[in-house]
Amino acid sequence: MTPLQIFYFRGWLWLVIGVFLLSACQSRPTETSLPSREEPASQATIPSATPTATPELPSPTPQPLAARISRNGSLAGEISLADYEAELNRYQQATGQIIDPAGRQRVLDELINLELLAEAADESGYVLDEATLQERIDNLASQMGGQPALTDWLATNNYSEADFRLQLGRAARAAWMQAKFLDEVPTSAEQIHVLQLLFRTAEEANQAYASLQAGENFQSLARQTDPLTGGEMGWLARGQLFFPELEAAAFQLQVGQYSPVIQTTSGYHILFVLERQAERPLDTQARLAAAELALQTWLDARRQESQIEILVP
């Protein structure tokens, strides 16, 4: 929900989200009154005719799918094969690289996540009518410099107008749901003030850990190790540490305690909690991180309760 991005999002989606969040109020279902049925002033007599057999129309051919989402035994959403392949082409065009299996999975996961968020927006009562969608498209064209610029962009990115409206509608519903997560984030939360020692090798980290255990002051060692920052990571709330193992270790520490050596893909870390507050106001970055964490937790749970069939290799 990167809104929040742990998973890969198209660049255009962020533009779409910005347009919707800045210019749209929450749409609500509207009631449409049906025209009253009135009897005609006069009624002509229509001669009876011998009934003839009406030829049956052929059933529409189901479109090939890349993924199917079901929940509680009912169909909840679909990702068409055409959408998936078009998105792969756009991904490859944007990166200039041949997409490996991991990249193909990321693209499909993104589309599934968007569909899950869009479904949840529908369930929450969000309604995006055609007039509102057209207004957003007009706003998007205006931001891009006019309708010709948008038309050229669609052609460059291999979108038909119908496909773009469909994708834009899904993205807008997903953006509304992501904004809902942000709205629900509290303005304050538990936070810790963290210092860090970071080393490239296990040997360096173990030597530093041995020095700490021998009584060396953490802050002094941090200033020696990193004179520029002194190991300062600042005040952090849950969701702001990139590596889950670091976050788990940091929030278990009490003030004045340091962690054992923790290995990540960035190197070897030793963390130290300088201060701790049970309730501290969250800045914008922290609120976005909290919303992202809530979004990812929700997506994980939503996937668990859904049956997702992957129909492509």
Side-chain angles (χ1 to χ4, degrees), residues 29-35:
T30 56
E31 295 183 1
T32 304
S33 57
L34 296 175

Side-chain angles (χ1 to χ4, degrees), residues 49-69:
T50 303
T52 58
T54 303
E56 292 186 3
L57 296 175
S59 301
T61 303
Q63 64 175 340
L65 299 178
R68 182 187 294 114
I69 304 168

Side-chain angles (χ1 to χ4, degrees), residues 117-147:
L117 286 165
E119 293 165 17
D122 296 341
E123 293 172 10
S124 297
Y126 177 69
V127 175
L128 180 67
D129 57 42
E130 284 300 312
T132 304
L133 180 59
Q134 185 59 52
E135 180 184 350
R136 302 301 184 266
I137 292 175
D138 293 342
N139 288 340
L140 189 59
S142 178
Q143 289 194 2
M144 297 179 73
Q147 184 60 46

